[in-house]
Amino acid sequence: MSESIGYDQTALRNAVDVAAAARRLRELGKERSLAAVSERAWLLESIGRLDEALAVAGEAVAMARTSGSRDRVAEARLLRAAVVQTRGDLQTALRECTAIIAEARSNDWVELWAHALQQRGTVHFALAHWHEACVDFTVAVELCREATLPAEQLEAAEIALLVATDRAQTEAVRAEQDLPRAQHPIWGGR
């Protein structure tokens, strides 16, 4: 999407040109296709209008359900999980992403599977579950490479993996440094 201007390595998500996103929202207007409603939800989330984004993401899920396409429903649910995550309900987002991963894996929807793993990895990252984030990002990178998914999806997964790995290593070093020194039961810390 042209509104995306890069990848924010602190939040592990696309950075967005707010003016371009607002302009695109105006262009979309009240268009009712599933693609337009999904894009509207993503744009609203990207510019911080989270209550509206959640309502529109819920609308996208309902529209996808009427389409009869299970993979579209899963995609819309993943979008809603991203909005829920941005709103700060990380446990709900984690449960939803996990369910979508299971469904995508069992149906061999590789691109959706990789995307859901990456989304769950960002939830783990936000929860400071460094190891789990690294595992999700690693599998997402492998899936992107094996299925030759779009370069930007692979690049985002690789960057997320590098950032999560760095954070995990940094936290491991900190934890190691904070360990109390062994003390002798009689002489103390000599």
Side-chain angles (χ1 to χ4, degrees), residues 61-187:
V61 171
M63 289 177 74
R65 283 191 175 125
T66 63
S67 76
S69 172
R70 289 181 35 231
D71 58 334
R72 286 189 176 188
V73 174
E75 289 170 359
R77 287 175 44 219
L78 188 59
L79 172 62
R80 184 178 60 192
V83 174
V84 167
Q85 176 187 353
T86 303
R87 290 185 58 162
D89 188 354
L90 301 177
Q91 293 302 323
T92 300
L94 187 62
R95 282 189 303 273
E96 186 72 13
C97 288
T98 299
I100 294 165
I101 288 165
E103 185 175 3
R105 182 178 182 187
S106 68
N107 288 294
D108 204 29
W109 301 328
V110 177
E111 188 169 359
L112 180 60
W113 182 12
H115 190 86
L117 278 163
Q118 188 166 341
Q119 184 67 44
R120 187 175 71 178
T122 65
V123 177
H124 281 306
F125 188 85
L127 288 166
H129 298 164
W130 314 120
H131 175 72
E132 293 87 345
C134 289
V135 169
D136 282 348
F137 294 140
T138 299
V139 177
V141 166
E142 290 171 6
L143 288 171
C144 287
R145 285 185 181 147
E146 287 174 14
T148 60
L149 296 180
E152 57 273 357
Q153 187 172 354
L154 173 61
E155 182 180 333
E158 288 174 334
I159 291 171
L161 176 58
L162 289 172
V163 171
T165 302
D166 180 64
R167 185 64 57 88
Q169 291 171 346
T170 301
E171 293 302 319
V173 168
R174 276 192 195 141
E176 198 173 280
Q177 291 172 347
D178 289 344
L179 290 176
R181 291 180 171 243
Q183 295 193 5
H184 191 278
I186 298 174
W187 295 291

